[in-house]
């Protein structure tokens, strides 16, 4: 009788370094930063054999489920172009936006809720969020819900 795989949510600070390095190699290959496994493993300081041993066993939480829908909550400044820049980051990342809701600005800030399908993204959800948080006029971004 074969054992079914078990999955756990573990804080990355508790993981052995080999898992984190394998995840970094996966990310750098997926993003196109490196073209070969050899280049990527050398850059992060991981042997190719260790990478091949662990590469399929570690994935960021939001990439583990295909076609997941994530609802993001943002607080943005009431300035022309801010929402457009946010939507551009979603588009560049390959996220499929399902809904957008924006409140009327109060004291120069508006709440924006965006639901997006993230299963076909070409970068991690964390990277997309970091890119959005770097936009001038984005005060806060958090995940509200995930299906």
């Amino acid at each position: 009788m074969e054992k079914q795989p078990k999955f756990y949510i573990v804080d990355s600070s508790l993981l052995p370094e080999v898992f984190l390095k394998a995840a970094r190699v996966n990310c750098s290959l997926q993003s196109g930063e490196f073209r070969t496994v050899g280049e990527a493993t050398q850059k992060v300081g991981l042997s190719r054999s260790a990478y091949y041993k662990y590469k399929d066993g570690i994935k960021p939480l939001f990439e583990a489920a295909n076609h997941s829908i994530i609802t993001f909550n943002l607080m943005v400044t009431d300035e022309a172009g801010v929402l457009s820049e946010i939507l551009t980051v979603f588009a560049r990342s390959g996220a499929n936006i399902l809904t957008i809701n924006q409140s009327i600005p109060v004291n120069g800030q508006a709440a924006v809720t965006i639901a997006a399908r993230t299963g076909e993204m070409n970068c991690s959800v964390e990277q997309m969020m970091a890119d959005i948080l770097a936009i001038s006029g984005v005060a806060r971004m958090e995940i509200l819900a995930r299906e």
Side-chain angles (χ1 to χ4, degrees):
M1 183 168 162
E2 252 182 73
K3 281 187 168 184
Q4 292 294 325
K6 291 185 180 180
F7 299 96
Y8 301 94
I9 297 175
V10 179
D11 187 294
S12 64
S13 66
L14 300 174
L15 290 173
E17 190 174 3
V18 67
F19 291 115
L20 299 174
K21 287 181 176 183
R24 276 192 296 240
V25 170
N26 282 341
C27 184
S28 64
L29 289 170
Q30 184 179 31
S31 72
E33 181 181 357
F34 295 103
R35 291 181 11 181
T36 68
V37 171
E39 290 174 330
T41 55
Q42 184 176 14
K43 178 67 175 177
V44 301
L46 182 67
S47 71
R48 286 171 42 110
S49 62
Y51 170 71
Y52 283 114
K53 181 176 181 179
Y54 297 113
K55 73 179 183 76
D56 295 326
I58 184 148
K59 293 178 178 39
L61 175 64
F62 300 112
E63 291 178 10
N66 284 338
H67 304 292
S68 61
I69 297 172
I70 301 177
T71 303
F72 301 92
N73 187 38
L74 299 92
M75 187 60 67
V76 300
T77 305
D78 181 24
E79 295 175 20
V82 175
L83 184 57
S84 176
E85 285 187 58
I86 292 167
L87 298 178
T88 298
V89 173
F90 272 90
R92 267 197 330 255
S93 71
N96 180 21
I97 295 177
L98 304 173
T99 64
I100 303 170
N101 294 301
Q102 180 175 337
S103 69
I104 295 174
V106 175
N107 296 325
Q109 297 276 304
V112 177
T113 305
I114 300 173
R117 191 174 312 277
T118 58
E120 302 296 321
M121 289 178 52
N122 55 31
C123 68
S124 69
V125 172
E126 292 87 351
Q127 181 60 54
M128 182 187 71
M129 290 178 69
D131 291 348
I132 290 170
L133 285 166
I135 296 170
S136 177
V138 177
R140 186 184 76 223
M141 181 177 192
E142 61 190 7
I143 293 174
L144 194 59
R146 179 174 165 256
E147 290 183 39

